Amino acid sequence: MNEAVRRIVEGQQEETGGWDYFYRAYSVNNRWDLSVSAWQVQALKAAHMAGADVEGLEEAMDRAVDFLKNRTFHSERGFGYSGGPGQGARPAVQGGGTLGLQLLGELRSSEVRTGIDIINRYRTEGNISWDNDRLAYIAYYQTQAVFHAGTRHFRSWNNTLAPVLIQNQSPDGSWRPPGADGWDGSPVMNTTLNAMSLMVYYRFLPTFQDPEEREETVDVFAFDDDDFSLE
């Protein structure tokens, strides 16, 4: 584990605090990639919670907070995919940016609150649909983000998403949205992401809780029995 974590730490961009493809510790044309970075944040936090012994790990996490807040975020558009604050503000990176800050102890930051608001609007505007061929990737991040935001947000989200996934699962147990191609259309990737979205409240401990108790936590497990009684 330590070697893998060291690769991530050493591949963090010196000037931005984010990551791009190929783990270069410098950016090409000042490019960073929030989709790539969100995966790294999850890995670093998991490694930290597991007790990884890698020099610079905590510093990398602190720099990632600064990256998410000051490099990617725009107060109106939310998190940007790449190129500047809020630029290319796609649904998937709203979840990735919001979740990243939650995992790094920023539960009540204004950036997280904006991210949750955008995710909730995305749901209420009818975008959680099987016709959305990027649903698996989008839902993977957004489900975790609203889960960490607490019961009120998660109940509404889960009652919208879960029936869509349950009703459109293939007889062989897989998922592949109609019309998707490339990596988005991989039944292996889509099945993995959708399964993790459905089981989020079974498999996740409150990983946003830093060992140093950076912020007071939210009780994400205060659910009623009826919250998940989906047919």
Side-chain angles (χ1 to χ4, degrees):
M1 175 179 69
N2 286 341
E3 287 302 314
V5 175
R6 187 173 294 109
R7 182 74 176 93
I8 297 173
V9 170
E10 292 176 350
Q12 188 177 29
Q13 294 177 347
E14 295 178 1
E15 67 268 45
T16 72
W19 288 264
D20 199 359
Y21 292 98
F22 309 114
Y23 288 104
R24 290 181 290 250
Y26 57 90
S27 63
V28 176
N29 297 325
N30 202 36
R31 186 186 193 278
W32 43 262
D33 190 298
L34 183 50
S35 179
V36 173
S37 298
W39 293 110
Q40 313 315 309
V41 168
Q42 292 179 91
L44 291 179
K45 184 56 187 287
H48 183 52
M49 296 291 287
D53 183 17
V54 174
E55 183 178 358
L57 172 56
E58 293 187 8
E59 291 82 356
M61 294 166 63
D62 288 338
R63 294 181 64 215
V65 171
D66 182 70
F67 163 73
L68 291 169
K69 285 187 170 184
N70 299 320
R71 288 276 181 173
T72 73
F73 183 80
H74 186 279
S75 60
E76 296 178 1
R77 296 191 295 274
F79 296 93
Y81 169 62
S82 188
Q87 293 188 21
R90 305 172 186 176
V93 298
Q94 301 310 309
T98 302
L99 175 64
L101 285 176
Q102 290 170 323
L103 294 179
L104 295 173
E106 298 289 331
L107 281 170
R108 291 179 173 81
S109 67
S110 60
E111 294 85 0
V112 166
R113 290 197 299 270
T114 297
I116 293 298
D117 287 344
I118 293 173
I119 291 170
N120 283 331
R121 288 202 303 271
Y122 183 80
R123 174 186 60 81
T124 59
E125 290 170 358
N127 293 299
I128 306 303
S129 165
W130 193 245
D131 294 332
N132 184 345
D133 60 13
R134 296 286 178 96
L135 179 61
Y137 189 75
I138 292 168
Y140 168 76
Y141 280 117
Q142 294 192 354
T143 300
Q144 293 180 75
V146 294
F147 176 69
H148 288 315
T151 310
R152 177 173 59 88
H153 296 288
F154 185 72
R155 182 186 291 114
S156 298
W157 173 268
N158 193 60
N159 287 340
T160 301
L161 175 67
V164 172
L165 297 183
I166 292 169
Q167 294 164 14
N168 288 282
Q169 187 177 23
S170 300
D172 64 1
S174 68
W175 281 277
R176 182 169 183 169
D181 55 15
W183 64 263
D184 288 291
S186 165
V188 174
M189 181 168 184
N190 276 281
T191 300
T192 300
L193 295 176
N194 286 335
M196 288 193 291
S197 293
L198 287 174
M199 67 176 72
V200 65
Y201 43 88
Y202 293 116
R203 71 185 186 90
F204 273 119
L205 293 172
T207 48
F208 57 76
Q209 183 174 346
D210 194 85
E212 288 76 24
E213 301 283 353
R214 180 181 295 185
E215 286 193 4
E216 179 185 353
T217 61
V218 172
D219 183 5
V220 295
F221 297 107
F223 299 114
D224 299 323
D225 291 341
D226 293 336
D227 286 339
F228 312 120
S229 58
L230 298 167
E231 297 182 357

